[in-house]
Amino acid sequence: MKVLGVLGSPRVGGNSDILLNQALAGAKEMGGKVEKIILSRKKISGCLDCAKCNETGICVIRDDMLEIHKKILKADAIIHSVPLYFWAMTSQMKAYLDRWCAFFDEDWNWHKAYAPKMKGKSIGLMTVCGDPNVHTADPIVHSFRATCKFSGLKLLPVVQASAFGRGEIDKNKKAKKEAYELGRRIATP
């Protein structure tokens, strides 16, 4: 079982990263082969809406997203961890998610070559926000839930946590346990 972890926070070692590490540790415990991508360390341009990928299934932008696309296709499951920035996902995560359009044809169906590798793939999501009300990050959840629903991906129960200062989530045993359990669950065949 290949589990890909995607960090949407530019703050390596921060709250979202801590939760992602917990989830990946849980997946590893279940025998998963894990890999982590730190989006802020990659060059990922925004989608140009040129529609070339609708025909070919390959994005015309030559940046790190082409390699990430390959990793997404090879993974059995993908866990995303992202903080809330101005009531939305970070720009790094948004650019990454927008570039998923290369997997779809002009009718928003999976390209034939990608469908067997993508349909039913398990998706994990963890959000962190500075607001004590974790549901302030619901716009992120909505984006992932809608993406999974229309494309046939399987969104597992979302982990939502509150933390403000760098590393503060480390004190939140409940959130860390939920992240760990998400990793265990996503890596269980």
Side-chain angles (χ1 to χ4, degrees):
M1 166 78 61
K2 293 180 185 173
V3 179
L4 183 63
V6 179
L7 179 62
S9 174
R11 213 165 26 166
V12 176
N15 298 312
S16 297
D17 195 19
I18 290 168
L19 287 185
L20 184 57
N21 288 339
Q22 286 291 309
L24 293 177
K28 198 170 190 177
E29 180 190 291
M30 297 305 292
K33 182 180 175 190
V34 302
E35 180 179 357
K36 181 164 81 172
I37 295 172
I38 301 168
L39 295 178
S40 65
R41 293 186 177 165
K42 302 293 183 184
K43 181 174 175 12
I44 303 174
S45 298
C47 177
L48 299 174
D49 193 25
C50 66
K52 298 262 193 290
C53 63
N54 295 151
E55 300 163 23
T56 65
I58 299 169
C59 185
V60 298
I61 302 171
R62 299 294 171 231
D63 62 9
D64 292 332
M65 196 62 201
L66 296 175
E67 189 60 35
I68 294 171
H69 278 155
K70 292 175 188 172
K71 291 176 187 289
I72 290 168
L73 291 168
K74 288 179 184 172
D76 297 300
I78 307 166
I79 303 173
H80 301 87
S81 188
V82 60
L84 181 78
Y85 278 23
F86 282 86
W87 299 272
M89 66 184 75
T90 61
S91 60
Q92 292 88 354
M93 185 64 80
K94 182 67 171 129
Y96 156 87
L97 197 57
D98 284 350
R99 296 282 295 282
W100 275 50
C101 64
F103 294 131
F104 298 93
D105 65 20
E106 63 187 15
D107 296 320
W108 287 100
N109 296 309
W110 293 112
H111 276 287
K112 286 185 184 2
Y114 302 148
K117 297 174 183 177
M118 294 300 289
K119 277 192 176 178
K121 190 180 296 263
S122 293
I123 302 294
L125 174 63
M126 299 178 291
T127 65
V128 180
C129 67
D131 190 323
N133 179 0
V134 298
H135 294 289
T136 303
D138 281 354
I140 299 171
V141 177
H142 173 76
S143 291
F144 275 85
R145 187 169 283 134
T147 299
C148 290
K149 185 177 179 180
F150 105 85
S151 62
L153 297 168
K154 181 183 172 191
L155 182 65
L156 274 63
V158 176
V159 175
Q160 291 185 277
S162 175
F164 188 74
R166 183 186 200 109
E168 183 182 313
I169 200 76
D170 223 6
K171 298 175 195 166
N172 187 334
K173 304 241 183 277
K174 180 180 178 279
K176 287 172 58 179
K177 183 177 188 225
E178 287 176 358
Y180 190 82
E181 290 304 319
L182 172 63
R184 285 176 49 89
R185 184 172 176 188
I186 211 165
T188 303

